[in-house]
Structures are given as structure tokens and as C-alpha cells.
Amino acid sequence: MKPDNSHNPFLKLKVRNLFVRGLLLSLGFGIALGVLQGITAVKFNAQIVTLILYILIFGFLCLWSLEDFDRYGIDMKYVLGRVPNRHKWLPMVGLVLLIILFFLSAYLVSFYLLSLAAPTFVESVMRQVATSPSARTTSPPFYNLLAAIVYIIVAPITEEFLFRGIILQRWVSKWGIQTALVASGVLFGILHANVLGLTLFGIIMGVLYIKTRTLIVPIACHAFNNSLAVGMGLLSSGSKTTTSAANLLEQLRSSWWIGIVLMLISLPLLVRFLYRNWPRKDDLVPYLINSSHGRE
């Protein structure tokens, strides 16, 4: 039985509502935090505040989206799906390792090329990355625990739900599955510092969702990817925030060749994965296939 796209409830959803709601939540929680800080006269740790705001904004954004599901008759169990019997997890581990290699290579190469044209901009971006919330050996245990919870649990669940569970399926209904994959991947990349690396990451997570018809697989891969990132952060010396902008830029320019090597290793294999698993133009979103099987 082939699912009928005319009954696709994602035709009623609007991605722009997610952006508006995200902006409203950011402003609301930001103002509330500012008022609380003014009343208590307590200066909160900026990085801990960033992590807490992430949990609040993305958590409430997901809950708000679930209200839409009730309104439009979208069954969450068909969005989540079920892991296929005897799913091969070991290749997923290799896939994530390749993604990390490409992520590092894209960071080194893209920022090196950008540094040649706009060194001041690259210095500012690298400073932001260096001071962004992440687990480090020199950080307090509570902070590292909170960062690990955000990156390993909260981020994979909320981001996969929003980007693959909602945005991808909505845009498939609007533009077709191949265009939606690329567009949702680009959006995912734009919202992160490493645009090239995270764009490919978003596309691959979308392909995994379409192929397996369950969000559990991309959530698990996303969590494993972030676990490795947190682990590398804990193994680092934690001294990068004290390095001058000039030294950071010099380190980047001296490491560009490593990025080329890593890209030559990872990119062909990732392209091969996408080529072998790229969906056909007439493929349907996981929700429609899952719901049709549920009615049979």
C-alpha cells in the first residue's frame, strides 16, 4: 500500500513559525534573566547562562511544536518511528568518525581561506568559538556536567526533532525530498559556526532519517558525535581562551594542510555514502510511510 501524500499533515505546518517562536522565547527568557539578575544583584556565569538558555529555548520550542501536532493530528510515534530489526550500528560509528574528520577539515580549510580575505573577522569568530560553552578540564565539575547534558542529551534530541522531524518533513512536502534535504542541511549549517561541516552533517542526518524512518538513529549518531566532541574538550588543556588572536590565527594558517589531508580521507567516503543512500525524487517522508504501515 503506497502512502497518499494528499493526507500529509505537514502541509499545514509553517517553518517560519519556528523562527518567530524561537525569537520570542529568546527575548522572553533573556529579559526574564536580566530582570532576575537586576533584582538579585548576582552576576551569573555567562557560559552557564548560555547552556541554561539553550535548554529553555529549545525545550519550550519543542513543546510548542507538540501543540501543533495535536492541532493538525500529527502522531508523534510516526515522527519518531521504530529502529529497524537488526539495525547495523557499527557502520554508524564509522560514519560518525568520518563526519568528525570532515568537520575538522572543513573548519581548518574554510577558516584558513577566509582568514586570507578577512583576518579580523576570523579572529573574532575564533575568539567566540574559544569562549563558547564547552567541557574543559579546567572548568568546575558542575559546569562540565551541565555542558555534557546539553551537548549529549538535549541538543541531539531537540535539534533532530526540529530539523529532521519537522523542518525536513515540511520542506519535503513543499519542495520535494532532494531539495528539502539540501535546504534543511544548509539551514542547520548556517546556524552553527562551522557552516560547511555542519551543513554536510545535517544532510547526512536527514538521509539517515529517511533511510531508517526513525529519528532514533540520527539522534544516536548526533549524540555520539557530540560525546566525542565533549571528550576531546575534556582532554584539552583549556588554555585556548588565553591565547592571543594573533597566535590563534597563526596556528590556523600553519595547520591548513592537515585539513586538506583529513578532507581527502573523509569526503570521498561521505560522498559515497550519500550517493548510495540518496533518496529518489518520488520518495515520501518517513511520517507518511510509518503512518501507512500503522494503519495496515
Side-chain angles (χ1 to χ4, degrees), residues 85 129 133 136 169 230:
N85 293 331
V129 172
R136 299 187 181 95
Q169 299 205 101
V230 170

Side-chain angles (χ1 to χ4, degrees), residues 59-160:
F60 276 89
L61 190 57
C62 289
L63 292 175
W64 205 337
S65 298
L66 289 178
E67 289 188 356
D68 289 337
F69 281 21
D70 291 335
R71 185 182 308 117
Y72 299 129
I74 300 175
D75 195 328
M76 182 61 192
K77 70 180 180 182
Y78 296 140
V79 175
L80 182 62
R82 293 183 298 178
V83 178
N85 293 331
R86 299 179 181 179
H87 181 70
K88 298 179 180 179
W89 288 103
L90 188 58
M92 298 296 98
V93 174
L95 180 64
V96 171
L97 293 176
L98 287 174
I99 290 173
I100 290 178
L101 290 181
F102 179 77
F103 178 87
L104 293 174
S105 70
Y107 169 79
L108 292 172
V109 174
S110 61
F111 274 81
Y112 168 73
L113 294 175
L114 189 58
S115 70
L116 300 179
T120 303
F121 171 75
V122 172
E123 288 177 9
S124 65
V125 172
M126 293 184 70
R127 281 191 176 278
Q128 292 177 4
V129 172
T131 58
S132 63
S134 60
R136 299 187 181 95
T137 55
T138 56
S139 300
F142 171 75
Y143 172 80
N144 283 337
L145 176 62
L146 183 61
I149 291 173
V150 169
Y151 289 123
I152 299 175
I153 299 175
V154 179
I157 293 174
T158 59
E159 291 183 4
E160 292 307 318

Side-chain angles (χ1 to χ4, degrees), residues 5-296:
N5 191 53
S6 63
H7 296 93
N8 185 357
F10 283 90
L11 291 169
K12 303 174 184 178
L13 289 177
K14 303 296 181 184
V15 172
R16 59 177 174 268
N17 289 343
L18 289 177
F19 291 105
V20 173
R21 292 169 181 178
L23 179 60
L24 291 175
L25 289 170
S26 300
L27 291 174
F29 285 122
I31 293 173
L33 185 62
V35 171
L36 179 62
Q37 185 167 318
I39 293 175
T40 60
V42 176
K43 187 174 182 180
F44 302 119
N45 181 283
Q47 293 186 328
I48 291 180
V49 167
T50 300
L51 293 172
I52 293 176
L53 284 176
Y54 182 95
I55 295 174
L56 291 173
I57 293 170
F58 276 80
F60 276 89
L61 190 57
C62 289
L63 292 175
W64 205 337
S65 298
L66 289 178
E67 289 188 356
D68 289 337
F69 281 21
D70 291 335
R71 185 182 308 117
Y72 299 129
I74 300 175
D75 195 328
M76 182 61 192
K77 70 180 180 182
Y78 296 140
V79 175
L80 182 62
R82 293 183 298 178
V83 178
N85 293 331
R86 299 179 181 179
H87 181 70
K88 298 179 180 179
W89 288 103
L90 188 58
M92 298 296 98
V93 174
L95 180 64
V96 171
L97 293 176
L98 287 174
I99 290 173
I100 290 178
L101 290 181
F102 179 77
F103 178 87
L104 293 174
S105 70
Y107 169 79
L108 292 172
V109 174
S110 61
F111 274 81
Y112 168 73
L113 294 175
L114 189 58
S115 70
L116 300 179
T120 303
F121 171 75
V122 172
E123 288 177 9
S124 65
V125 172
M126 293 184 70
R127 281 191 176 278
Q128 292 177 4
V129 172
T131 58
S132 63
S134 60
R136 299 187 181 95
T137 55
T138 56
S139 300
F142 171 75
Y143 172 80
N144 283 337
L145 176 62
L146 183 61
I149 291 173
V150 169
Y151 289 123
I152 299 175
I153 299 175
V154 179
I157 293 174
T158 59
E159 291 183 4
E160 292 307 318
F161 172 62
L162 293 172
F163 282 92
R164 260 59 74 179
I166 297 179
I167 294 176
L168 173 60
Q169 299 205 101
R170 163 56 187 164
W171 283 353
V172 169
S173 307
K174 186 176 182 181
W175 297 322
I177 200 163
Q178 296 178 345
T179 302
L181 264 175
V182 175
S184 61
V186 170
L187 175 63
F188 187 78
I190 289 175
L191 296 178
H192 294 79
N194 189 340
V195 176
L196 180 59
L198 270 298
T199 292
L200 185 59
F201 178 88
I203 292 174
I204 291 175
M205 292 301 103
V207 169
L208 286 177
Y209 181 40
I210 293 169
K211 178 182 178 181
T212 62
R213 304 200 310 273
T214 173
L215 274 178
I216 296 174
V217 172
I219 286 174
C221 290
H222 197 150
F224 180 53
N225 176 83
N226 289 7
S227 298
L228 295 178
V230 170
M232 288 187 290
L234 290 174
L235 293 175
S236 67
S237 64
S239 62
K240 60 182 178 179
T241 57
T242 61
T243 305
S244 67
N247 288 339
L248 288 172
L249 188 57
E250 183 61 30
Q251 292 174 11
L252 176 65
R253 287 177 172 172
S254 63
S255 304
W256 65 269
W257 64 272
I258 299 177
I260 296 294
V261 173
L262 294 178
M263 189 171 291
L264 290 175
I265 295 172
S266 60
L267 186 57
L269 295 174
L270 292 175
V271 170
R272 179 174 178 267
F273 169 81
L274 290 175
Y275 177 78
R276 296 182 63 180
N277 295 280
W278 196 250
R280 300 187 304 269
K281 289 183 178 181
D282 58 346
D283 283 348
L284 299 173
V285 293
Y287 182 87
L288 292 180
I289 302 176
N290 292 338
S291 62
S292 68
H293 289 172
R295 291 193 297 267
E296 291 177 353

